[in-house]
Amino acid sequence: MIVIPLAALFIMSMFRHRGSRRQQEQEHHELHPESKINELKSALGPLSGRSLQYCTDACLKRYLEARNWNVEKAKKMLEETLAWRSTYKPEETRWHEIAVEGETGKVFRSNFHDRFGRTVLIMRPGLQNTTGMENQIRHLVYLIENAILNLPEGQEEMVWMIDFTGWSFSTTVPVKTARETISILQNHYPQRLAVAFLYSPPRIFEAFWKIVKYFLDPKTFQKVKFVYPKNKESVEIMQSCFDVDNLPTEFGGKATMKYDHEEFSRLMVQDDIKTAKYWGLDQKTNGHAAQESESTEC
């Protein structure tokens, strides 16, 4: 009866070999992505307008990474994003259209980066101030686009930091909104999230998390890190990404975090001009920006 365990060992070794070979192939593609990028370009065919502008080599690489370098799957994913962008038009959203969502500072781009130069979005769900799902999602998409706009050259990813102060079931977003948000992040912004730190979530959040986590794909799930002040290991993971002097006290650091809506609005209006210039929409936005600037100065 020695044959059975020998056969089992043989099968296991085959799977291990295939797994290691697949890993080696992925590592090769990550080091030398040019051939796969060119394959994806050919598969997509001719592009024009904003689709052409969107599909940079760095963009194609992100979609390939998200689909484990499978060109057909990456093509399908990217085509779905291009279709979404053509109807949702995230690059055309301007701050004055969604500014009401930001009045409490429930989501905003911080004035500091992590140790790797990545843009940081601060999220404070306990400060939820609206109930409309569509505008809430558009506000978050706007800030994701803004975070990308402000990434330093050579950096592709952002960091999310979530402060649960004041959070309760009465302020939490509906599961439907959470599901739609996750879908947009995973399907249309692949490889843009480096890590999401959930800082000191209350015990009642676990019930919400048990539902939401099933909407996350494995790659995104691995990027979610729970941080508890009394858990040394989790604190060290977060502090490996941040200088404690820059980190707000709300996240265990030494810096003071203050959100000034008027000041942030002025910053966003200026960024709207940069966005418009990048996408060739200067004229339309400059008029809004001038009006917005006048109104904030009064």
Side-chain angles (χ1 to χ4, degrees):
M1 301 302 292
I2 248 173
V3 177
I4 294 174
L6 282 175
L9 285 169
F10 176 70
I11 292 167
M12 287 171 66
S13 67
M14 279 180 62
F15 277 114
R16 274 200 299 268
H17 179 67
R18 285 179 187 171
S20 61
R21 192 167 131 197
R22 194 176 294 118
Q23 188 177 352
Q24 286 172 359
E25 286 176 356
Q26 287 192 14
E27 287 172 358
H28 172 77
H29 295 321
E30 285 168 9
L31 291 171
H32 308 284
E34 300 83 8
S35 62
K36 284 290 183 179
I37 289 172
N38 289 331
E39 271 188 63
L40 182 52
K41 279 182 185 175
S42 298
L44 286 168
L47 297 171
S48 61
R50 295 183 201 177
S51 293
L52 178 61
Q53 193 173 354
Y54 181 76
C55 292
T56 62
D57 283 5
C59 171
L60 300 187
K61 184 172 181 281
R62 286 195 304 274
Y63 280 79
L64 284 163
E65 287 176 329
R67 290 297 177 260
N68 296 317
W69 300 94
N70 183 304
V71 172
E72 277 305 309
K73 289 181 180 179
K75 174 178 177 283
K76 182 176 183 292
M77 185 186 194
L78 184 47
E79 286 176 339
E80 287 171 355
T81 291
L82 294 177
W84 173 78
R85 292 186 72 90
S86 71
T87 55
Y88 199 83
K89 301 184 187 303
E91 71 279 2
E92 291 188 14
T93 302
R94 296 295 172 257
W95 178 249
H96 69 273
E97 298 169 349
I98 42 84
V100 65
E101 295 288 339
E103 287 179 352
T104 60
K106 65 186 177 190
V107 187
F108 65 96
R109 175 168 60 82
S110 73
N111 60 1
F112 62 92
H113 293 75
D114 74 351
R115 295 184 190 275
F116 308 98
R118 297 180 294 211
T119 307
V120 178
L121 285 186
I122 303 288
M123 302 182 178
R124 301 186 288 181
L127 298 180
Q128 181 61 264
N129 63 323
T130 61
T131 56
M133 180 181 90
E134 187 177 334
N135 225 40
Q136 287 175 355
I137 292 176
R138 188 165 287 278
H139 175 237
L140 180 59
V141 168
Y142 173 90
L143 288 170
I144 290 172
E145 292 274 326
N146 182 266
I148 293 167
L149 177 74
N150 285 280
L151 285 170
E153 190 175 348
Q155 182 54 261
E156 296 280 311
E157 298 177 311
M158 70 187 81
V159 175
W160 289 7
M161 300 182 68
I162 305 172
D163 169 21
F164 283 88
T165 302
W167 184 90
S168 66
F169 275 120
S170 64
T171 58
T172 193
V173 297
V175 171
K176 184 181 178 184
T177 305
R179 185 174 188 172
E180 181 65 18
T181 302
I182 290 167
S183 173
I184 288 172
L185 175 67
Q186 292 181 159
N187 296 326
H188 304 312
Y189 294 94
Q191 304 301 102
R192 283 301 195 183
L193 180 65
V195 59
F197 291 111
L198 280 62
Y199 192 81
S200 195
R203 186 165 292 181
I204 56 171
F205 177 75
E206 291 177 13
F208 182 72
W209 175 246
K210 282 178 182 177
I211 299 169
V212 170
K213 69 180 182 181
Y214 289 107
F215 304 143
L216 299 174
D217 64 33
K219 285 179 182 285
T220 307
F221 184 80
Q222 289 174 5
K223 296 176 181 180
V224 177
K225 307 295 181 187
F226 285 79
V227 180
Y228 298 96
K230 293 180 180 178
N231 184 310
K232 187 180 177 183
E233 187 179 346
S234 68
V235 170
E236 286 176 352
I237 290 172
M238 190 173 74
Q239 291 185 352
S240 69
C241 292
F242 292 96
D243 184 333
V244 179
D245 291 333
N246 290 335
L247 199 62
T249 53
E250 288 85 348
F251 296 97
K254 298 179 181 178
T256 301
M257 180 170 69
K258 182 185 176 186
Y259 177 77
D260 184 316
H261 185 60
E262 286 190 12
E263 184 181 332
F264 190 73
S265 293
R266 283 193 286 270
L267 186 64
M268 292 301 98
V269 169
Q270 292 305 309
D271 278 356
D272 281 351
I273 296 171
K274 287 197 287 184
T275 299
K277 187 175 181 181
Y278 178 81
W279 292 104
L281 304 167
D282 307 48
Q283 221 170 10
K284 176 185 171 185
T285 304
N286 283 341
H288 281 304
Q291 292 172 13
E292 207 51 35
S293 182
E294 287 171 12
S295 67
T296 54
E297 287 172 6
C298 291

